[in-house]
Amino acid sequence: WVCLKIKFSMINSPDGGNSMKQPPDIQKLEAMLRSGKLAAHGFMGNDPRSLNEIIDADAAVLANLGVTALELARRMQNLTDLARPYLGNFVTAGSLEVAVVDYPGKLVCPWPHSGPIAKRITTIRHLPTGRSLRWSDLNIHLIEEHGFFEGKGSPFRLEPAELVEMLA
């Protein structure tokens, strides 16, 4: 997949440079992420932070844990691939149980690049704790290509530290 990596530009401001001015294409992207145009719930939830602030904060969490977004996305994809042939039934993978359910239709990434993404949900249960998480194939893509775990309050927000802990 060819993917545009969009950069944000800082500007000097009266608050000491702490505010962000985003180019129009980033403003449009963030508006789409906040809307329900591509997903009924939107991607930003009720998170007041900018897209850049969300991505930077999640990247800092991963850096502190010594894990990259790419490594995490690949682990998520491997678990999805492992469970997919079992048609919604849980399969054991170490300390996890994993199930995958496919749905009709496709999803598209809000970033400007081609290619539909399968409408598929993976659910994991961490056997030692009983905790569970779910993600879509779009979540995997957003994490791998954009370092985006969605905004707080979004139904498909994945907390990087929790994800790393459960997938360890």
Side-chain angles (χ1 to χ4, degrees):
W1 292 42
V2 176
C3 181
L4 265 153
K5 300 289 184 185
I6 301 174
K7 301 289 182 191
F8 297 88
S9 58
M10 289 289 290
I11 62 165
N12 290 329
S13 64
D15 66 358
N18 293 324
S19 68
M20 297 285 292
K21 177 160 177 80
Q22 299 175 346
D25 56 340
I26 299 302
Q27 292 173 359
K28 185 177 176 182
L29 173 62
E30 188 168 326
M32 183 171 302
L33 290 167
R34 289 191 186 282
S35 77
K37 289 180 182 177
L38 294 180
H41 56 76
F43 294 92
M44 300 289 278
N46 56 9
D47 202 324
R49 299 175 296 168
S50 72
L51 177 59
N52 187 47
E53 290 169 324
I54 292 169
I55 291 171
D56 286 350
D58 290 340
V61 169
L62 292 179
N64 287 337
L65 295 170
V67 177
T68 68
L70 179 61
E71 291 167 336
L72 200 51
R74 286 187 177 161
R75 174 75 169 130
M76 294 164 71
Q77 187 65 59
N78 288 341
L79 289 168
T80 295
D81 292 344
L82 173 74
R84 190 163 177 232
Y86 294 91
L87 305 172
N89 295 304
F90 280 92
V91 60
T92 303
S95 64
L96 299 172
E97 286 184 326
V98 186
V100 174
V101 178
D102 284 295
Y103 295 92
K106 300 286 183 184
L107 299 170
V108 294
C109 177
W111 271 261
H113 55 87
S114 63
I117 297 168
K119 202 171 185 181
R120 179 178 301 129
I121 305 293
T122 300
T123 302
I124 62 169
R125 288 193 297 227
H126 188 245
L127 296 172
T129 63
R131 292 186 323 193
S132 63
L133 286 176
R134 68 179 179 154
W135 61 75
S136 68
D137 281 16
L138 183 55
N139 283 116
I140 296 170
H141 168 80
L142 291 172
I143 292 168
E144 180 176 12
E145 295 293 329
H146 310 291
F148 183 55
F149 290 78
E150 301 199 21
K152 293 189 184 291
S154 172
F156 279 88
R157 163 74 182 175
L158 293 165
E159 291 296 336
E162 183 180 14
L163 192 56
V164 168
E165 179 185 344
M166 287 183 67
L167 297 183

PDB file of all heavy atoms in Angstrom, residues 80-93:
ATOM      1  N   THR A  80      -4.881 -12.364  14.342  1.00  0.00           N
ATOM      2  CA  THR A  80      -6.056 -12.381  13.470  1.00  0.00           C
ATOM      3  C   THR A  80      -5.930 -13.505  12.446  1.00  0.00           C
ATOM      4  O   THR A  80      -6.877 -14.287  12.258  1.00  0.00           O
ATOM      5  CB  THR A  80      -6.217 -11.015  12.771  1.00  0.00           C
ATOM      6  OG1 THR A  80      -6.484 -10.027  13.776  1.00  0.00           O
ATOM      7  CG2 THR A  80      -7.352 -11.027  11.759  1.00  0.00           C
ATOM      8  N   ASP A  81      -4.777 -13.615  11.817  1.00  0.00           N
ATOM      9  CA  ASP A  81      -4.555 -14.658  10.814  1.00  0.00           C
ATOM     10  C   ASP A  81      -4.661 -16.050  11.428  1.00  0.00           C
ATOM     11  O   ASP A  81      -5.190 -16.977  10.796  1.00  0.00           O
ATOM     12  CB  ASP A  81      -3.193 -14.487  10.152  1.00  0.00           C
ATOM     13  CG  ASP A  81      -3.099 -13.234   9.286  1.00  0.00           C
ATOM     14  OD1 ASP A  81      -4.153 -12.647   8.949  1.00  0.00           O
ATOM     15  OD2 ASP A  81      -1.961 -12.829   8.976  1.00  0.00           O
ATOM     16  N   LEU A  82      -4.169 -16.213  12.648  1.00  0.00           N
ATOM     17  CA  LEU A  82      -4.225 -17.509  13.328  1.00  0.00           C
ATOM     18  C   LEU A  82      -5.667 -17.955  13.563  1.00  0.00           C
ATOM     19  O   LEU A  82      -6.020 -19.107  13.331  1.00  0.00           O
ATOM     20  CB  LEU A  82      -3.487 -17.423  14.677  1.00  0.00           C
ATOM     21  CG  LEU A  82      -3.599 -18.659  15.568  1.00  0.00           C
ATOM     22  CD1 LEU A  82      -2.726 -19.777  15.019  1.00  0.00           C
ATOM     23  CD2 LEU A  82      -3.206 -18.326  16.991  1.00  0.00           C
ATOM     24  N   ALA A  83      -6.513 -17.054  14.016  1.00  0.00           N
ATOM     25  CA  ALA A  83      -7.877 -17.417  14.405  1.00  0.00           C
ATOM     26  C   ALA A  83      -8.880 -17.389  13.258  1.00  0.00           C
ATOM     27  O   ALA A  83      -9.949 -17.996  13.355  1.00  0.00           O
ATOM     28  CB  ALA A  83      -8.344 -16.488  15.524  1.00  0.00           C
ATOM     29  N   ARG A  84      -8.562 -16.722  12.192  1.00  0.00           N
ATOM     30  CA  ARG A  84      -9.528 -16.543  11.101  1.00  0.00           C
ATOM     31  C   ARG A  84     -10.103 -17.852  10.561  1.00  0.00           C
ATOM     32  O   ARG A  84     -11.309 -17.942  10.321  1.00  0.00           O
ATOM     33  CB  ARG A  84      -8.888 -15.733   9.982  1.00  0.00           C
ATOM     34  CG  ARG A  84      -9.900 -15.324   8.953  1.00  0.00           C
ATOM     35  CD  ARG A  84      -9.384 -14.203   8.076  1.00  0.00           C
ATOM     36  NE  ARG A  84     -10.385 -13.922   7.083  1.00  0.00           N
ATOM     37  CZ  ARG A  84     -10.156 -13.874   5.784  1.00  0.00           C
ATOM     38  NH1 ARG A  84      -8.942 -14.028   5.325  1.00  0.00           N
ATOM     39  NH2 ARG A  84     -11.137 -13.634   4.954  1.00  0.00           N
ATOM     40  N   PRO A  85      -9.324 -18.907  10.371  1.00  0.00           N
ATOM     41  CA  PRO A  85      -9.901 -20.148   9.836  1.00  0.00           C
ATOM     42  C   PRO A  85     -10.921 -20.822  10.775  1.00  0.00           C
ATOM     43  O   PRO A  85     -11.659 -21.699  10.348  1.00  0.00           O
ATOM     44  CB  PRO A  85      -8.688 -21.068   9.646  1.00  0.00           C
ATOM     45  CG  PRO A  85      -7.499 -20.184   9.662  1.00  0.00           C
ATOM     46  CD  PRO A  85      -7.867 -18.993  10.484  1.00  0.00           C
ATOM     47  N   TYR A  86     -10.999 -20.405  12.021  1.00  0.00           N
ATOM     48  CA  TYR A  86     -11.874 -21.062  12.996  1.00  0.00           C
ATOM     49  C   TYR A  86     -13.276 -20.453  13.050  1.00  0.00           C
ATOM     50  O   TYR A  86     -14.077 -20.794  13.913  1.00  0.00           O
ATOM     51  CB  TYR A  86     -11.206 -21.068  14.375  1.00  0.00           C
ATOM     52  CG  TYR A  86      -9.964 -21.918  14.376  1.00  0.00           C
ATOM     53  CD1 TYR A  86      -8.724 -21.357  14.083  1.00  0.00           C
ATOM     54  CD2 TYR A  86     -10.028 -23.283  14.618  1.00  0.00           C
ATOM     55  CE1 TYR A  86      -7.578 -22.131  14.047  1.00  0.00           C
ATOM     56  CE2 TYR A  86      -8.883 -24.073  14.582  1.00  0.00           C
ATOM     57  CZ  TYR A  86      -7.668 -23.486  14.293  1.00  0.00           C
ATOM     58  OH  TYR A  86      -6.542 -24.262  14.254  1.00  0.00           O
ATOM     59  N   LEU A  87     -13.583 -19.552  12.122  1.00  0.00           N
ATOM     60  CA  LEU A  87     -14.941 -19.053  11.890  1.00  0.00           C
ATOM     61  C   LEU A  87     -15.666 -18.575  13.144  1.00  0.00           C
ATOM     62  O   LEU A  87     -16.778 -18.989  13.438  1.00  0.00           O
ATOM     63  CB  LEU A  87     -15.768 -20.139  11.195  1.00  0.00           C
ATOM     64  CG  LEU A  87     -15.183 -20.688   9.886  1.00  0.00           C
ATOM     65  CD1 LEU A  87     -15.986 -21.880   9.409  1.00  0.00           C
ATOM     66  CD2 LEU A  87     -15.128 -19.598   8.838  1.00  0.00           C
ATOM     67  N   GLY A  88     -15.026 -17.714  13.893  1.00  0.00           N
ATOM     68  CA  GLY A  88     -15.682 -17.126  15.063  1.00  0.00           C
ATOM     69  C   GLY A  88     -15.492 -17.899  16.350  1.00  0.00           C
ATOM     70  O   GLY A  88     -15.894 -17.431  17.417  1.00  0.00           O
ATOM     71  N   ASN A  89     -14.916 -19.080  16.286  1.00  0.00           N
ATOM     72  CA  ASN A  89     -14.644 -19.865  17.491  1.00  0.00           C
ATOM     73  C   ASN A  89     -13.293 -19.460  18.059  1.00  0.00           C
ATOM     74  O   ASN A  89     -12.367 -19.138  17.328  1.00  0.00           O
ATOM     75  CB  ASN A  89     -14.637 -21.361  17.155  1.00  0.00           C
ATOM     76  CG  ASN A  89     -16.001 -21.832  16.720  1.00  0.00           C
ATOM     77  OD1 ASN A  89     -16.978 -21.668  17.439  1.00  0.00           O
ATOM     78  ND2 ASN A  89     -16.075 -22.392  15.526  1.00  0.00           N
ATOM     79  N   PHE A  90     -13.193 -19.504  19.382  1.00  0.00           N
ATOM     80  CA  PHE A  90     -11.931 -19.136  20.030  1.00  0.00           C
ATOM     81  C   PHE A  90     -10.903 -20.236  19.857  1.00  0.00           C
ATOM     82  O   PHE A  90     -11.210 -21.427  19.941  1.00  0.00           O
ATOM     83  CB  PHE A  90     -12.149 -18.846  21.520  1.00  0.00           C
ATOM     84  CG  PHE A  90     -12.690 -17.476  21.777  1.00  0.00           C
ATOM     85  CD1 PHE A  90     -14.060 -17.257  21.868  1.00  0.00           C
ATOM     86  CD2 PHE A  90     -11.839 -16.384  21.901  1.00  0.00           C
ATOM     87  CE1 PHE A  90     -14.565 -15.984  22.093  1.00  0.00           C
ATOM     88  CE2 PHE A  90     -12.328 -15.102  22.114  1.00  0.00           C
ATOM     89  CZ  PHE A  90     -13.706 -14.908  22.214  1.00  0.00           C
ATOM     90  N   VAL A  91      -9.674 -19.823  19.612  1.00  0.00           N
ATOM     91  CA  VAL A  91      -8.527 -20.708  19.521  1.00  0.00           C
ATOM     92  C   VAL A  91      -7.493 -20.189  20.521  1.00  0.00           C
ATOM     93  O   VAL A  91      -7.389 -18.982  20.740  1.00  0.00           O
ATOM     94  CB  VAL A  91      -7.969 -20.766  18.076  1.00  0.00           C
ATOM     95  CG1 VAL A  91      -7.530 -19.407  17.600  1.00  0.00           C
ATOM     96  CG2 VAL A  91      -6.841 -21.762  17.952  1.00  0.00           C
ATOM     97  N   THR A  92      -6.755 -21.089  21.143  1.00  0.00           N
ATOM     98  CA  THR A  92      -5.769 -20.697  22.143  1.00  0.00           C
ATOM     99  C   THR A  92      -4.432 -20.397  21.472  1.00  0.00           C
ATOM    100  O   THR A  92      -3.958 -21.154  20.630  1.00  0.00           O
ATOM    101  CB  THR A  92      -5.591 -21.798  23.209  1.00  0.00           C
ATOM    102  OG1 THR A  92      -6.861 -22.055  23.796  1.00  0.00           O
ATOM    103  CG2 THR A  92      -4.608 -21.384  24.278  1.00  0.00           C
ATOM    104  N   ALA A  93      -3.841 -19.271  21.888  1.00  0.00           N
ATOM    105  CA  ALA A  93      -2.520 -18.853  21.407  1.00  0.00           C
ATOM    106  C   ALA A  93      -1.734 -18.392  22.626  1.00  0.00           C
ATOM    107  O   ALA A  93      -1.821 -17.233  23.022  1.00  0.00           O
ATOM    108  CB  ALA A  93      -2.651 -17.743  20.378  1.00  0.00           C
TER     109      ALA A  93
END
